Amino acid sequence: MVKVVIVGAGGRMGKALIRAVVAKEDAELFGAVDLPNHSDLGKDAGEFAGCGEQNVRLTDNLADALEGADVLIDFTFHKAVPNNVKIAAGKLCAVVIGTTGLTPEETEVVRKESFKIPIVWAPNMSVGVNLLFALTKKVAEILGPEFDAEIVEMHHRNKKDAPSGTAMRIAESLAEGRKRQLDDVACYGRKGITGERPVGEIGIHTLRGGDVIGDHTVIFAGDSERFELTHKASNRDVFAKGAVFATTWISDKKPRIYDMQDILGLN
Ligand code: NAD
């Protein structure tokens, strides 16, 4: 039985994660953590997540909640991740990170801590999206830069970072397939007299609105034909299930950073 603590447990993904841990036979909801001002603090995690009483109260003390835990799942905010990972590493507790939008400095902290503990870190935990990463790389290799590549993503109006971590990962897969550095070829939106589109450019476009869970499309536009790969998530449970699956996978792994591609055998 893997003992799981969720940080960000009071958020949209947090509640889906609580339900997914409770539903998984070989995982146990061991702790639920959020900010001190969260309106559900002190309440039973199962109750506010909609899966019945679990005898786990939402707390704001991560260090205490991790005492005796096996794995921490973090779906919070980019600024919170370095400290959360440091606390987990101090207790030799493995971590599954779904939080997106980390700065290079925040990313570096996570990398350093991965010398001490195994970490699964993926901008998108769904099987379909991870297949999309792998297919995008393959198609980019086959079609080459003569096919203009554009990425379009759409998420709900409350999402805090843009482009989505998933869109950035798709863009990296595309650049990798073409053996280019993403920073040299990325174009984030367009406005004004932009001139002709340079060969090899990768366009990345963000839409926000409504309650869209997460749509991603990669367009390869050639002469006389257009090839598109699309993934649409219709429910947050798809990410939660992937993250909770990762908690049982990681429990016997050596310290380093893994991603969902490793778990699904797509690397
Ligand atoms: P949300 O705002 O609904 O929830 C985030 C929760 O984290 C909130 O309850 C907030 O109070 C809490 N929080 C913030 N800082 C904290 C801290 N220092 N300590 C404890 N709790 C803290 O957001 P959400 O929609 O659930 O998304 C959370 C993150 O997960 C985002 O970065 C989002 O992009 C990412 N996400 C990843 C995937 C994936 O598959 N990897 C899928 C969906 C969302």
Side-chain angles (χ1 to χ4, degrees):
M1 199 66 121
V2 177
K3 293 178 182 154
V4 180
V5 173
I6 299 165
V7 61
R12 282 175 289 257
M13 275 305 302
K15 291 182 189 116
L17 287 160
I18 291 169
R19 292 192 296 272
V21 172
V22 168
K24 199 161 187 315
E25 277 180 8
D26 50 358
E28 176 191 338
L29 183 66
F30 193 70
V33 183
D34 210 290
L35 288 172
N37 60 356
H38 196 282
S39 56
D40 287 327
L41 212 70
K43 291 187 189 159
D44 186 90
E47 295 279 3
F48 69 71
C51 54
E53 196 178 348
Q54 299 297 323
N55 292 317
V56 173
R57 307 225 160 260
L58 188 69
T59 167
D60 61 356
N61 192 325
L62 179 60
D64 281 0
L66 283 177
E67 212 55 66
D70 298 311
V71 184
L72 171 68
I73 306 182
D74 182 310
F75 276 70
T76 55
F77 187 54
H78 69 97
K79 285 185 185 164
V81 176
N83 196 40
N84 292 345
V85 173
K86 275 186 191 168
I87 293 172
K91 297 188 181 285
L92 296 180
C93 177
V95 183
V96 173
I97 306 172
T99 309
T100 58
L102 273 72
T103 64
E105 293 74 27
E106 290 161 352
T107 302
E108 194 45 37
V109 174
V110 175
R111 285 200 193 291
K112 277 193 184 144
E113 298 303 317
S114 75
F115 289 109
K116 300 177 204 153
I117 50 164
I119 296 177
V120 171
W121 193 5
N124 194 305
M125 302 277 181
S126 98
V127 173
V129 160
N130 282 279
L131 195 54
L132 179 63
F133 297 150
L135 289 173
T136 298
K137 185 176 168 204
K138 190 79 199 159
V139 174
E141 273 168 12
I142 295 169
L143 295 182
E146 294 74 34
F147 277 72
D148 299 324
E150 299 278 312
I151 298 163
V152 185
E153 61 105 339
M154 179 159 189
H155 282 83
H156 54 90
R157 61 170 76 91
N158 298 312
K159 184 162 174 62
K160 296 188 181 80
D161 54 319
S164 70
T166 303
M168 290 307 298
R169 180 64 194 275
I170 294 170
E172 279 158 16
S173 304
L174 242 163
E176 223 181 295
R178 291 178 171 177
K179 302 191 172 34
R180 300 297 308 269
Q181 287 297 318
L182 180 59
D183 284 347
D184 298 339
V185 290
C187 169
Y188 298 92
R190 297 186 183 87
K191 191 185 178 212
I193 314 297
T194 58
E196 287 181 13
R197 188 187 199 285
V199 174
E201 187 169 79
I202 295 176
I204 304 163
H205 310 279
T206 296
L207 314 182
R208 290 285 174 266
D211 59 357
V212 177
I213 304 283
D215 294 355
H216 293 89
T217 294
V218 193
I219 302 162
F220 294 90
D223 292 330
S224 316
E225 62 179 335
R226 197 159 78 228
F227 185 78
E228 297 186 4
L229 296 168
T230 293
H231 179 272
K232 294 185 180 187
S234 47
N235 195 308
R236 283 188 178 81
D237 292 350
V238 73
F239 311 125
K241 271 188 201 150
V244 175
F245 181 76
T247 63
T248 44
W249 183 89
I250 200 179
S251 55
D252 61 348
K253 297 295 177 293
K254 293 199 174 94
R256 80 166 174 88
I257 292 181
Y258 302 87
D259 68 12
M260 286 304 279
Q261 307 274 302
D262 294 310
I263 297 179
L264 298 169
L266 292 168
N267 265 339

